[in-house]
C-alpha cells in the first residue's frame, strides 16, 4: 500500500497572540500551503484539531471558517477533539483520510486561543475533561501531576532535581526554536526555587498557557513524489485510552495509553523502540517526560530520570527528546501541540531544523490527552 | 477492496431525558454492542459525534468517559464535531477508520444533551457556529431558514402550504417510530396556524430541542459475515463545505455542500440519484427537505415541493423520505442526528424497520451542518 507522506508544514509563533482562533488557524494553514506548494483548491479534506474554541471564545464551526478563509471550499471539513491530544488525534484522522483513499490531499490545522482567559479559567476548561467526581473534588491536571511525581520519586528513588533537569534541557532546546513561547535558558536553581504549584512540582515544572497554531499537508507517497523530494512518511501510528478516572489505575506511574498506542505504532512500522532516533514527548509537566520515555520502551521503568540526568536525551545525546523545546518552553496551545510535535519531527527528518538539527532518519511523536486518558503515537521516517 | 459494513445499531429514546451526556452515550453504546453481538473488548476505535458537551454541560473528554463506561479500553477514542452534522462526520470518520485498515471493529456513538438549557440558550450555542459578523447582527439558524424559505417560495412559485406538508408527512411517519420525541400526527391547519418564528416559517416548521443518542458498529465486510447475515454496506460516502458566511452564496436556495458531497458519494457507489429507494434528509427546518431533495438530484430544482405535494415522498410513495419521522418529529440531538439517520437506513435495508418498513435495497442519508456549511452524504446498500 502507498504510504502516507507529509509534504509541507508550518507553525505560527506560539505565545500570547493578539488574534482569534480563526485567524491563528488561517495563518498556519496559509503557511503550510505555501510550504507544500499546494493550492487551496487541491485540498480534499481539511481537519481542525481544537479542544475548546466554543468554551474559550464562543466560536464553534471553526473548520468551516477555515475552509472559507483558505478558499479551500468545497473541501470536506471536521473538527477533531481529544482534549490535549487533539493534535495527535488530528494526525490520525488525516492519516486515515489518505490511507482509506477518501482524500489524496489532506490538510490538518491544529490550534487553540487561550491567553485571553485567566490561568484559572483556562485550567478549569481543561479540568472539565476529568471525571465529574474528581472534578467536584477540585482535582485538576496539575494536581494529578503533583501526586504522580511524588509517587515516581518515591518508587524509583529519583531525586527531585531530576525533574528540574527536564525543564532545564527543554528550555535550552527552546532557545533555538524561533516559534517557541519562551526562548530563554533556565538554570536548575531557578527551577528548584520557583513557587510550589502542586508539591513537589513547582512553576517551572509546568508548561504555560499558550495561543498558537500548526499545520501539516498529507498525501499518498506516490503523489508526494510529484511535489517534492523533501517529504517524510508516517510508517506507524496508533491510539489508545486509559481509565477516565485516574485513581482507578493500578500503577499511576505507568501510562497505559502510551504503552498500548506505541505497540500499535511499532508493529505497523515494523520497528522497535531502539530504532527511534529523535522524539517529541508530551511534557505538559516535567514528570510526564519520564513516564513516556519509559512507557515507549526507550528506557527501563524507573530509569527515565537517569537518562535525562546523564544527558542521553540532550540534543547531542543518543536519543534527543524534545529538540523543539517541548511543550515546556515552546508552549501548549492544546489543539496545536500534537501537530507541532509532528512538525518538529518532520523538520528533523527532512533536514530543515536549523540550529536544532540532529542526525535522524526515524522519529516519534507522543501526544497525551488528559492525564494519559487518550494517547496517539506517530512514527515517521525520512523517505 | 473490502467494503465497510454496519453490523449493529441502536438509538435511545429521543426527547427530554433525565440523563447526562455520558449516560446517554453509554446507553446507546451498550445497546449497539448487544445488537451487534460484539463484546466491548473487540472495539478497536470508538468515535463520539458531539457538538457541544462542554458548552451545554461543562463536561469534555466524553469519548474517554464512554470508553470507560463501556469497558472498551484501550480502544482509541476521539470526538468528531461538525456542528449539526457531527453525526454524519462521525460516520465518515468510522468509515475511514475501517477502510484505512486502522480498525477492524469501530463503534460510533453520537449524542447531545440539550433540554436542561432554555431554548434561547441552546439556540445561542448553535448560533456560535455562524460567522462572527452574522452572529453579532443576531442572525441565528432559524432566521436563515425563514429568509431562504421566503426566497424559495417566491422563486419557484411554491405555495406556503407545501412547507406545511413536510411537517404533516414527517409527523405521520414519526408515529410509528418508538424512539421519536413526538409521536403524534398534526394536520395542515395546525401547522399553518402555529405561531410565527421566522416568517414565513412557523413553530411546526422547526425541529425541537432534544436529548438523545444513537450508535453504530462498523467492520470490514469480510468480518461482518462472521457475525451476521443481516448487515448493510456503505457503498458511497462524501463530504463537502459551503461558505461560512451564508449571505455570500450565489443562490441560497442551492446547498453546495449537498451537491458536492453527494457527487462524491454517487461516484464512489457507482449509482445515480434515481437508484436511491429510501432517504433520510436533514429536515431541521421544513424548507431544508425541499432543498436537499433537489440538490441530491432526486427532483429538478424548484420541484421538490411538488414531490411532497403529490405524495411521492410518502412512506408508500416512489421515494419515501424521512420514514423515521425526520428531525422534525424524531427530534434533533445535534451529534446524534446523523447517526440516527444511518440507523434508520440500516434498519430499512436489513428489513427490521417494523411499521415503518419500506421496500428498499439502496438508501441515502444526508446530514447538514450549520446552514449547509458542511454536509455528509452516505449511500448504503443491503448486502
Amino acid at each position: 500500500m502507498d504510504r502516507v507522506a507529509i509534504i509541507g508544514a508550518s507553525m505560527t509563533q506560539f505565545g500570547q497572540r493578539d488574534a482569534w482562533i480563526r485567524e491563528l488557524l488561517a495563518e498556519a494553514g496559509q503557511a503550510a500551503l505555501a510550504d507544500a506548494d499546494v493550492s487551496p483548491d487541491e485540498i480534499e479534506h481539511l481537519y481542525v484539531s481544537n479542544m475548546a474554541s466554543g468554551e474559550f471564545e464562543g466560536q464553534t464551526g471553526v473548520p468551516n471558517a477555515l475552509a472559507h478563509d483558505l478558499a479551500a471550499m468545497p473541501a470536506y471539513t471536521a473538527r477533531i477533539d481529544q482534549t490535549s491530544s487533539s493534535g495527535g488525534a488530528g494526525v490520525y484522522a488525516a492519516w486515515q483520510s489518505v490511507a482509506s483513499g477518501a482524500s489524496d490531499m489532506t490538510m490538518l490545522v491544529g490550534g487553540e486561543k487561550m491567553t485571553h482567559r485567566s490561568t484559572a479559567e483556562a485550567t478549569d476548561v481543561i479540568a472539565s475533561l476529568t471525571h465529574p467526581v474528581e472534578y467536584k473534588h477540585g482535582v485538576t491536571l496539575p494536581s494529578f501531576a503533583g501526586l504522580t511525581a511524588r509517587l515516581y520519586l518515591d518508587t524509583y528513588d529519583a531525586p527531585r532535581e531530576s525533574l528540574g533537569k527536564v525543564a532545564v534541557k527543554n528550555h535550552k532546546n527552546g532557545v533555538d526554536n524561533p516559534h517557541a513561547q519562551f526562548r530563554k535558558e533556565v538554570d536548575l536553581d531557578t527551577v528548584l526555587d520557583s513557587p510550589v504549584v502542586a508539591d513537589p512540582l513547582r512553576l517551572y515544572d509546568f508548561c504555560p498557557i499558550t495561543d498558537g497554531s500548526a499545520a501539516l499537508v498529507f498525501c499518498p507517497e506516490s503523489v508526494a513524489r510529484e511535489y517534492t523530494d523533501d517529504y517524510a512518511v508516517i510508517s506507524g501510528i496508533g491510539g489508545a485510552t486509559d481509565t477516565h478516572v485516574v485513581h482507578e489505575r493500578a500503577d499511576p506511574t505507568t501510562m497505559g495509553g502510551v504503552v498500548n498506542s506505541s505497540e500499535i505504532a511499532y508493529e505497523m512500522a515494523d520497528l522497535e523502540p531502539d530504532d527511534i532516533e529523535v522524539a517529541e514527548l508530551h511534557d505538559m509537566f516535567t514528570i510526564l517526560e519520564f513516564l513516556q520515555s519509559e512507557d515507549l520502551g526507550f528506557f527501563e521503568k524507573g530509569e527515565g530520570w537517569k537518562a535525562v540526568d546523564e544527558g542521553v536525551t540532550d540534543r547531542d545525546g543518543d536519543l534527543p527528546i524534545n529538540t523543539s523545546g517541548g511543550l515546556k518552553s515552546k508552549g501548549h496551545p492544546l489543539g496545536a501541540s500534537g501537530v507541532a510535535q509532528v512538525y518538529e519531527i518532520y523538520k528533523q527528518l527532512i533536514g530543515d531544523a536549523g540550529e536544532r538539527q540532529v542526525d535522524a532518519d526515524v522519529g516519534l511523536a507522543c501526544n497525551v490527552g488528559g492525564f494519559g486518558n487518550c494517547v496517539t503515537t506517530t512514527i515517521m521516517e525520512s523517505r
Side-chain angles (χ1 to χ4, degrees), chain A:
Chain A
M1 189 184 79
D2 221 4
R3 294 185 298 180
V4 176
I6 296 177
I7 61 168
S10 75
M11 64 181 283
T12 70
Q13 180 64 49
F14 278 18
Q16 192 167 339
R17 296 290 308 274
D18 183 21
W20 295 111
I21 183 67
R22 63 181 294 170
E23 297 171 292
L24 291 171
L25 295 173
E27 181 184 338
Q30 280 160 353
L33 285 172
D35 187 60
D37 198 18
V38 164
S39 69
D41 58 9
E42 294 176 88
I43 300 296
E44 299 179 14
H45 282 206
L46 174 64
Y47 294 96
V48 171
S49 295
N50 170 266
M51 174 178 175
S53 70
E55 292 91 323
F56 284 131
E57 197 178 305
Q59 177 74 60
T60 62
V62 290
N64 272 97
L66 182 63
H68 195 125
D69 294 340
L70 294 179
M73 295 174 299
Y76 170 71
T77 67
R79 179 169 71 117
I80 311 297
D81 160 42
Q82 185 37 267
T83 68
S84 26
S85 66
S86 296
V91 172
Y92 206 2
W95 180 88
Q96 289 177 40
S97 77
V98 174
S100 68
S103 168
D104 272 350
M105 192 62 75
T106 293
M107 173 175 274
L108 167 68
V109 186
E112 211 84 39
K113 169 62 184 164
M114 308 169 70
T115 65
H116 59 297
R117 305 291 292 269
S118 70
T119 298
E121 286 172 339
T123 303
D124 187 58
V125 168
I126 298 167
S128 70
L129 69 84
T130 56
H131 188 280
V133 172
E134 291 181 329
Y135 180 82
K136 281 178 186 165
H137 282 81
V139 178
T140 60
L141 296 202
S143 61
F144 281 134
L147 293 164
T148 304
R150 191 181 302 189
L151 181 64
Y152 182 94
L153 297 182
D154 186 60
T155 305
Y156 300 112
D157 203 23
R160 169 65 186 90
E161 291 71 21
S162 63
L163 288 165
K165 289 179 181 175
V166 175
V168 170
K169 168 179 71 72
N170 292 350
H171 269 275
K172 187 175 177 189
N173 287 340
V175 169
D176 289 324
N177 188 339
H179 303 104
Q181 183 163 7
F182 301 127
R183 299 185 65 184
K184 61 172 184 181
E185 292 199 47
V186 295
D187 61 25
L188 190 58
D189 286 343
T190 303
V191 177
L192 297 178
D193 292 340
S194 63
V196 171
V197 174
D199 187 59
L201 299 181
R202 294 167 181 258
L203 186 62
Y204 276 91
D205 288 293
F206 294 87
C207 68
I209 303 287
T210 310
D211 308 326
S213 182
L216 301 165
V217 180
F218 302 77
C219 62
E221 189 172 9
S222 57
V223 175
R225 290 192 197 101
E226 300 170 16
Y227 283 83
T228 181
D229 291 331
D230 290 326
Y231 64 84
V233 296
I234 294 178
S235 55
I237 186 164
T241 46
D242 204 339
T243 63
H244 189 218
V245 182
V246 174
H247 71 254
E248 286 185 2
R249 296 177 193 167
D251 174 9
T253 69
T254 294
M255 306 193 95
V258 175
V259 173
N260 288 300
S261 67
S262 65
E263 277 181 5
I264 295 168
Y266 286 130
E267 187 181 338
M268 185 187 299
D270 195 19
L271 292 173
E272 304 282 337
D274 282 353
D275 296 317
I276 305 300
E277 297 170 322
V278 61
E280 288 285 305
L281 307 189
H282 193 95
D283 59 331
M284 185 175 183
F285 318 112
T286 50
I287 179 66
L288 292 189
E289 188 169 310
F290 291 166
L291 302 191
Q292 288 160 67
S293 70
E294 297 166 7
D295 295 333
L296 288 164
F298 298 157
F299 312 114
E300 294 295 315
K301 198 69 213 166
E303 309 256 308
W305 71 269
K306 292 181 188 168
V308 175
D309 196 59
E310 294 161 4
V312 174
T313 60
D314 285 353
R315 195 158 81 196
D316 60 0
D318 283 348
L319 176 56
I321 288 180
N322 286 328
T323 54
S324 70
L327 279 52
K328 180 70 198 76
S329 82
K330 190 173 53 185
H332 182 22
L334 307 169
S337 292
V339 184
Q341 289 180 319
V342 170
Y343 166 95
E344 178 71 11
I345 299 297
Y346 166 77
K347 288 290 187 184
Q348 292 287 358
L349 296 181
I350 67 169
D352 191 28
E355 297 291 320
R356 307 187 308 282
Q357 188 66 53
V358 299
D359 182 21
D361 287 311
V362 184
L364 178 149
C366 184
N367 192 204
V368 173
F371 200 75
N373 298 10
C374 189
V375 179
T376 308
T377 299
T378 305
I379 297 173
M380 296 161 62
E381 297 182 52
S382 53
R383 73 185 179 90

